[in-house]
Amino acid sequence: MVKRIGLVILTLLLLLVFSPVEAESDISVLDTSITMDFPYSLAFNLEAESLADILDARLHYQVDRMNYAQVVSEGWAEFTPAMRVETSWVWDMRKASLPPGAQVTYWWTIKNADGEELQTLPKVVYFEDDRYQWQSLTDREITIFWYHGDDEFANELMDACQEGLARLTQEFGAYLQRPINIYVYASSQELQGAMIFPQEWTGGVAFTEFGIIAIGISPDSIDWGKEALVHELTHLVVHQLVFSPYGSLPVWLDEGLAMYNEGELSPQLRSRLEEAISEGKLLSVRSLCSPFSADPEKAYLSYAESYSLVEYLLNNYSGDNMLDLLTLIKQGSTYDEALTEAYGFDIDGLDTRWRESLLVASPVVAVSQSPSPFASCHSERSEESHPGSIAGLSALTISAGVR
């Protein structure tokens, strides 16, 4: 929790430097409290009085997330002008929700009929899920919050996360660029209770721009939980590495890296991959650049192929090639351009070489491509959500946006 306190202090200091402070004024602020109804709403309350009628009260707030530019949002409180007012502005999370633990810095600007203006000092609030008594464990850049299970349970999850981070650094030099928080719910059902519009299969969510993971893991499912956590953690590390306004990762690369870092491909997915190889029904690499099919069988095969593609690249080329590929995508290169510069071949060249490697491993493989459900690969940023763990397609990776 020391890191969180330090972050709050730094945030407040920066805001004090760039924001006006309260000064002598005919306007007095009596209350700026918060009313939280997790996960549905966050109400910012204001009580103020003045020697002249208060005409305007405006909330300003900033959300702590990865942004291309500093963003300050505003909310207008509604009230009848008077010398004393009590009002509030309510953030309805059905319109733009926050993940558990999201940090919001806020302040008010108040104006009266005499033209006087008062801006309050900034405060920080965390959109915490206060339905549970959370415990916390911090190790370097990772903090795990949990409420069900003993200390050994949390330590096992932390060890898995740290081992996953170490593998990413060893494989291609990736590392966390900002701290992350992990909220471990006791079950997928309780996790879904923390979401506004959950899917019934959701078992975990990675809010990449917030550096937050929310996941349902019970002590009885810790083996699955460790793999799923590493998967989501990999998404956060990779998205921090490539975050830019210029391009986004092809889905096969994003999911393939996360699956590869989990460990060996599961027998079920290996079987689907081998079946597609033997029947000549592999999906093309170009089709895997876009969001995967909603059809479960095609989705499973898409994940299996994504793992296999990343395995091929990391086993046959250096980690520097992978880091170059990610860097080039971050800088705005198209997928074809980035692959060509980093590896010497484009998407179709990768497709051919990867299939040839499968042919060596399994001589019955057919190299013909199945019809692609997508016309081409693209490098435009996508805000779509997609499953983020293959264990029952039960985790979700979200490039969550707040407007």
Side-chain angles (χ1 to χ4, degrees):
M1 301 303 290
V2 174
K3 291 182 179 179
R4 170 169 283 191
I5 294 171
L7 181 60
V8 172
I9 293 173
L10 178 60
T11 301
L12 292 176
L13 286 174
L14 289 173
L15 286 167
L16 286 173
V17 171
F18 295 107
S19 302
V21 298
E22 293 177 353
E24 294 284 335
S25 172
D26 289 340
I27 304 171
S28 299
V29 175
L30 308 178
D31 177 54
T32 57
S33 61
I34 294 291
T35 303
M36 193 177 305
D37 182 18
F38 186 93
Y40 304 106
S41 66
L42 182 60
F44 299 84
N45 306 311
L46 174 68
E47 183 177 355
E49 62 181 8
S50 174
L51 297 179
D53 283 353
I54 295 174
L55 304 179
D56 183 76
R58 189 170 305 181
L59 177 79
H60 312 270
Y61 61 96
Q62 289 179 299
V63 180
D64 181 29
R65 52 177 293 197
M66 296 171 68
N67 274 313
Y68 307 125
Q70 190 178 45
V71 177
V72 178
S73 300
E74 293 186 347
W76 288 267
E78 296 183 358
F79 60 91
T80 301
M83 297 175 67
R84 184 185 181 100
V85 299
E86 292 185 41
T87 187
S88 64
W89 181 80
V90 180
W91 189 341
D92 186 346
M93 297 300 166
R94 293 173 299 178
K95 299 177 181 177
S97 62
L98 290 174
Q103 176 186 317
V104 181
T105 302
Y106 67 98
W107 61 97
W108 287 90
T109 299
I110 307 159
K111 297 180 182 179
N112 69 11
D114 288 341
E116 293 232 2
E117 178 177 320
L118 175 69
Q119 183 166 297
T120 66
L121 295 174
K123 293 184 177 181
V124 173
V125 61
Y126 291 92
F127 193 54
E128 302 280 13
D129 188 345
D130 53 7
R131 300 173 301 165
Y132 304 105
Q133 296 296 316
W134 297 94
Q135 303 178 70
S136 67
L137 172 67
T138 299
D139 184 358
R140 287 163 282 183
E141 300 300 307
I142 299 175
T143 299
I144 293 178
F145 298 90
W146 86 104
Y147 58 86
H148 180 65
D150 55 19
D151 291 347
E152 183 179 354
F153 169 72
N155 281 315
E156 275 199 64
L157 296 178
M158 180 64 80
D159 288 345
C161 290
Q162 295 296 347
E163 290 166 6
L165 282 180
R167 284 194 299 272
L168 289 174
T169 303
Q170 181 179 356
E171 287 286 355
F172 56 94
Y175 58 90
L176 276 174
Q177 299 182 16
R178 56 177 280 166
I180 69 165
N181 293 327
I182 300 170
Y183 289 82
V184 180
Y185 287 82
S187 67
S188 58
Q189 290 76 22
E190 292 189 7
L191 166 67
Q192 291 164 21
M195 303 172 67
I196 300 294
F197 302 113
Q199 301 291 333
E200 61 181 10
W201 42 261
T202 301
V205 189
F207 299 91
T208 56
E209 293 179 9
F210 291 85
I212 291 174
I213 296 171
I215 191 167
I217 307 172
S218 70
D220 293 338
S221 64
I222 192 167
D223 289 338
W224 171 86
K226 289 189 289 187
E227 291 183 355
L229 257 186
V230 170
H231 186 110
E232 300 304 329
L233 177 64
T234 304
H235 280 307
L236 263 62
V237 173
V238 173
H239 278 257
Q240 287 182 11
L241 178 63
V242 303
F243 184 75
S244 82
Y246 304 114
S248 61
L249 291 175
V251 177
W252 67 265
L253 181 58
D254 190 11
E255 293 300 338
L257 286 169
M259 293 186 63
Y260 183 85
N261 200 31
E262 285 184 48
E264 292 294 324
L265 191 63
S266 70
Q268 295 88 347
L269 290 182
R270 179 69 66 182
S271 175
R272 282 179 167 86
L273 179 62
E274 292 174 351
E275 182 180 351
I277 292 171
S278 66
E279 295 179 358
K281 294 183 178 179
L282 289 171
L283 303 171
S284 71
V285 178
R286 196 167 289 277
S287 74
L288 296 176
C289 291
S290 300
F292 296 161
S293 171
D295 177 78
E297 288 304 315
K298 287 184 179 179
Y300 281 120
L301 178 58
S302 297
Y303 279 96
E305 288 192 25
S306 296
Y307 173 97
S308 180
L309 282 161
V310 169
E311 181 182 46
Y312 167 76
L313 291 175
L314 290 176
N315 286 353
N316 291 279
Y317 302 89
S318 74
D320 290 340
N321 293 111
M322 178 60 71
L323 186 59
D324 288 344
L325 175 63
L326 295 171
T327 302
L328 289 162
I329 292 174
K330 175 180 180 177
Q331 294 171 350
S333 297
T334 66
Y335 302 153
D336 282 306
E337 291 169 346
L339 275 166
T340 300
E341 186 168 342
Y343 289 95
F345 47 77
D346 62 8
I347 296 168
D348 296 328
L350 170 60
D351 199 313
T352 299
R353 287 165 174 78
W354 167 64
R355 288 169 185 266
E356 288 173 350
S357 74
L358 296 177
L359 179 61
V360 172
S362 178
V364 297
V365 64
V367 297
S368 61
Q369 298 182 7
S370 62
S372 168
F374 302 98
S376 64
C377 247
H378 59 86
S379 58
E380 297 176 359
R381 175 168 298 277
S382 172
E383 294 295 334
E384 294 186 44
S385 305
H386 54 278
S389 175
I390 216 47
L393 293 182
S394 59
L396 187 70
T397 299
I398 296 181
S399 296
V402 175
R403 290 172 170 76

